[in-house]
Amino acid sequence: MKTLFLTLFCTISFTFNTSASDNFLIKNGQVIWQKIYNTTLTKDQLIWNIRNSGNFKNISVQEDYLTAEISMLRINHFRYERLTGNYAHHIANSHHVNSYIKVEFKENRYRVTLKSIKLMPKDDEDDIIDMETFALKWRKEVFDSSFFRNKSKILDYAFKEVTDFKESQESDQW
């Protein structure tokens, strides 16, 4: 009975851990990062913060959403490691991320979705790694369990740092 319970528990835990975690999801065979933030900022304040953060380029504003690109986002794994004590060698060798971003606006909240996430090793920019190659098992239907050990946490931390707009930086007094 103990063996059956343990086997069932491990199977359920493994299934849960390989489906989604740290705001990463699989949609149509593609790894995306998605997070919803509550905010007191208006849509215009959010757009101002996004434009003036310096983290985004090719920004296009629509009525209910904004699209842009993240280019050469530096992963500050040293700061993450100091805060958590965790280390992920592969991310340490891949300091930059490129991605497309969509920010959807609703009253008192916004949802950020990163797609086409690519890791760029610091020395050889020709050797770009798609997130799907990095995070999914060979069949691309489930996450590789090694992705959730530390890699996803470092990326999640970096993406939260760049997409969490807590207050408007706009000020007329300087």
Side-chain angles (χ1 to χ4, degrees):
M1 185 66 170
K2 286 182 183 180
T3 306
L4 177 63
F5 179 75
L6 184 60
T7 304
L8 182 60
F9 177 76
C10 289
T11 303
I12 291 170
S13 296
F14 178 75
T15 302
F16 177 75
N17 287 336
T18 58
S19 60
S21 183
D22 295 323
N23 299 306
F24 286 96
L25 307 166
I26 302 170
K27 287 194 178 176
N28 300 322
Q30 184 180 34
V31 175
I32 66 168
W33 181 86
Q34 192 169 68
K35 177 137 177 75
I36 297 171
Y37 293 97
N38 293 322
T39 186
T40 58
L41 301 176
T42 66
K43 175 184 164 187
D44 290 334
Q45 289 172 317
L46 283 168
I47 292 170
W48 190 92
N49 282 351
I50 291 167
R51 286 188 190 276
N52 292 298
S53 70
N55 294 317
F56 309 99
K57 67 178 191 175
N58 298 327
I59 298 170
S60 174
V61 179
Q62 307 300 317
E63 187 173 328
D64 294 333
Y65 66 93
L66 171 148
T67 59
E69 293 176 34
I70 296 176
S71 180
M72 303 300 284
L73 174 65
R74 183 179 169 95
I75 303 299
N76 189 347
H77 62 89
F78 294 116
R79 181 172 176 197
Y80 173 81
E81 290 162 11
R82 278 195 311 268
L83 293 173
T84 65
N86 294 327
Y87 176 75
H89 176 71
H90 197 281
I91 299 295
N93 290 329
S94 300
H95 284 308
H96 298 99
V97 172
N98 287 0
S99 177
Y100 291 101
I101 183 170
K102 181 176 185 180
V103 181
E104 298 169 280
F105 307 108
K106 284 196 175 184
E107 190 172 331
N108 298 323
R109 62 188 170 145
Y110 62 99
R111 179 171 66 180
V112 177
T113 305
L114 273 64
K115 294 181 179 181
S116 300
I117 305 167
K118 300 188 184 320
L119 300 174
M120 300 182 60
K122 60 184 174 184
D123 296 330
D124 184 8
E125 292 188 22
D126 292 333
D127 192 19
I128 297 171
I129 303 168
D130 292 330
M131 182 61 83
E132 291 75 24
T133 303
F134 179 68
L136 300 180
K137 289 188 176 186
W138 65 275
R139 289 191 175 177
K140 299 193 183 279
E141 296 168 1
V142 294
F143 283 103
D144 188 328
S145 60
S146 68
F147 178 65
F148 292 118
R149 289 193 192 115
N150 287 330
K151 300 169 190 172
S152 66
K153 290 170 182 32
I154 290 174
L155 290 169
D156 183 59
Y157 179 83
F159 296 157
K160 284 177 185 175
E161 274 193 324
V162 79
T163 61
D164 189 2
F165 304 105
K166 294 182 180 174
E167 59 185 58
S168 180
Q169 302 297 320
E170 187 174 9
S171 175
D172 290 335
Q173 300 176 358
W174 54 277

